[in-house]
Amino acid sequence: MNSEQPAPALGTAELRSLFALDTDYVATNHGSFGATPRAVMEARQQKLYDIEANPDYFMKITYDAKLDEALLPVAKLLGLETVADVVFTVNATTGVNAVLRSLKQILKASGRPSPSSKQKILCFSSVYGNVLNGINYTTTNDGFGILNVDIPIPISEADLLDRVNAVIESERAQGSDVVLAIYDMISSVPGVIVPVERLTALFKSRGVLTCIDAAHAIGQVPIDLNVIQTDFFVSNLHKWLYVPRGCAVFYVAPRFQGVIHHPVISEIKGKDWRRGFHWVGTTDVSAYLCTKAALNFRAWIGGEAAIMDYTHRLAVRGGQIVADILGTRVLKGVGPGEETDGDAFYAAMVNVLVPDTETVKQGGDVFMGALQARMLKEDKVGVAPYKFGGVYWIRLSAQVYLNEDDFVVAGNTLKRVLGV
């Protein structure tokens, strides 16, 4: 990367060469683990050399300041002016688990009584599996109840809000209290945008604490936490922002900063809640220090708006290409008002229905469960198959190093493997 020279056009081979991806790999599953540009990898290597030049000095003298310096531009992407309300953590799952493991103290700070099965944690049927594991662990060990609300997709915002409100009303009529809602900003599977502003406003109006699992959000869609007004928010930086793995940003509303704690208890400095997240014993924080390199790269190739526009348009077109090849359709998402159909309901991830071929019917869950590994090993094509609403789907990701030709290859490979 030479920032003094114009960047290659998005979707070109020249742009792809700025990433370390194998030339014969069809990388249409960016959403799972992200991909890091070479320039950012080189910046990380330099950070490691800088640390190793004097580890004691870095750990004891400059550590906190360096992390805050790297965190500030990320905070500004979230609409914040300082780093006072955010910290780094390794991934979104860790941030959600911090909320769950601190929930007793959080509720006490909110004036709620001791945990009981009548106090429930609400999530949706599209909840990320590892987050659901954390919720189940918390309900089993800390005495809370769980409320998993079935949400069909596509669905309109109006219907979604009505369903959620009806569930809260029903629980209260039975003497239960929904104390915490954990929900996505962009769900993993299906990969669709969730109307977090309206959901958060609804939950807050009903006295429900809110935790947004925005693992896929930053880098895919604009975010303004001043508008959303959630209690907790966490987003991976290594998925869509090009920061090396693993790196995430975790926001905590000021009123809960005195009671939140990292799932791994290490250093505690009075009311300095941020230190408890930034110093989890001796760890490699070099990924955290690469945010400026990642954001500089993004600015060089066009900037946030241009990247989001390109990847969304490619997801729309690429998803339709694959659907046409398979003879199926694209899943739209959660529509505004009464709408349930439109391409604005997903961002850079698109979901295509798997055709009900004899191969799929005979193989069932076993075949579909092995499909991703098979295509990676035999065809060098990355896809994310899953089951939702009783049928199989393929999630594909658009990215700046891809173009429509990649979706043609992915579609034709799926057509052959699925026996269309």
Side-chain angles (χ1 to χ4, degrees), residues 141-331:
N141 290 275
D142 292 346
F144 296 102
I146 183 172
L147 190 58
N148 195 327
V149 182
D150 184 40
I151 302 295
I153 295 176
I155 188 173
S156 70
E157 281 188 14
D159 191 6
L160 172 62
L161 294 167
D162 286 345
R163 284 171 181 253
V164 171
N165 193 53
V167 166
I168 296 173
E169 284 292 324
S170 175
E171 289 297 317
R172 288 188 172 174
Q174 299 172 57
S176 295
D177 183 17
V178 180
V179 296
L180 174 69
I182 299 177
Y183 49 103
D184 301 303
M185 187 166 189
I186 299 177
S187 55
S188 176
V189 289
V192 297
I193 298 172
V194 178
V196 292
E197 289 179 28
R198 296 190 67 187
L199 272 173
T200 304
L202 171 62
F203 286 128
K204 290 174 77 70
S205 73
R206 308 314 303 271
V208 179
L209 300 178
T210 57
C211 175
I212 298 176
D213 175 9
H216 287 275
I218 195 167
Q220 265 204 86
V221 292
I223 301 166
D224 189 342
L225 293 182
N226 297 298
V227 174
I228 298 171
Q229 292 285 301
T230 185
D231 297 304
F232 307 97
F233 176 98
V234 61
S235 188
N236 289 321
L237 307 184
H238 59 251
K239 284 185 180 288
W240 295 92
L241 206 66
Y242 307 156
V243 177
R245 297 170 217 96
C247 183
V249 59
F250 179 41
Y251 165 86
V252 178
R255 65 178 176 142
F256 296 120
Q257 291 171 7
V259 293
I260 193 79
H261 60 80
H262 193 282
V264 177
I265 303 300
S266 180
E267 187 166 312
I268 300 176
K269 282 192 172 182
K271 294 183 179 181
D272 186 2
W273 73 281
R274 302 181 68 248
R275 177 68 177 181
F277 280 83
H278 283 175
W279 187 269
V280 189
T282 303
T283 57
D284 179 8
V285 296
S286 59
Y288 298 174
L289 303 178
C290 294
T291 55
K292 287 186 178 180
L295 291 171
N296 286 342
F297 178 85
R298 292 172 69 84
W300 178 60
I301 65 173
E304 298 301 311
I307 293 170
M308 291 177 190
D309 178 66
Y310 177 84
T311 54
H312 173 62
R313 286 189 293 105
L314 180 58
V316 172
R317 181 62 190 136
Q320 194 58 56
I321 287 170
V322 175
D324 289 344
I325 291 172
L326 298 182
T328 61
R329 61 183 173 85
V330 170
L331 179 67

Side-chain angles (χ1 to χ4, degrees), residues 6-16 18 301 310 400-402:
L10 305 184
T12 62
E14 291 78 15
L15 192 289
R16 183 187 171 105
L18 301 177
I301 65 173
Y310 177 84
V400 296
Y401 51 71
L402 299 172

Side-chain angles (χ1 to χ4, degrees), residues 66-123:
K66 290 292 186 183
L67 264 61
D68 283 352
E69 180 184 340
L71 190 54
L72 183 58
V74 178
K76 290 187 174 181
L77 273 184
L78 301 177
L80 306 175
E81 291 301 317
T82 74
V83 298
D85 301 331
V86 288
V87 290
F88 282 120
T89 191
V90 292
N91 50 48
T93 304
T94 301
V96 173
N97 270 273
V99 176
L100 291 169
R101 302 311 305 141
S102 306
L103 189 53
K104 288 182 180 179
Q105 293 88 346
I106 290 168
L107 293 180
K108 184 177 180 181
S110 304
R112 291 291 214 314
S114 300
S116 76
S117 59
K118 290 288 187 179
Q119 291 183 315
K120 296 190 176 180
I121 302 170
L122 181 149
C123 63

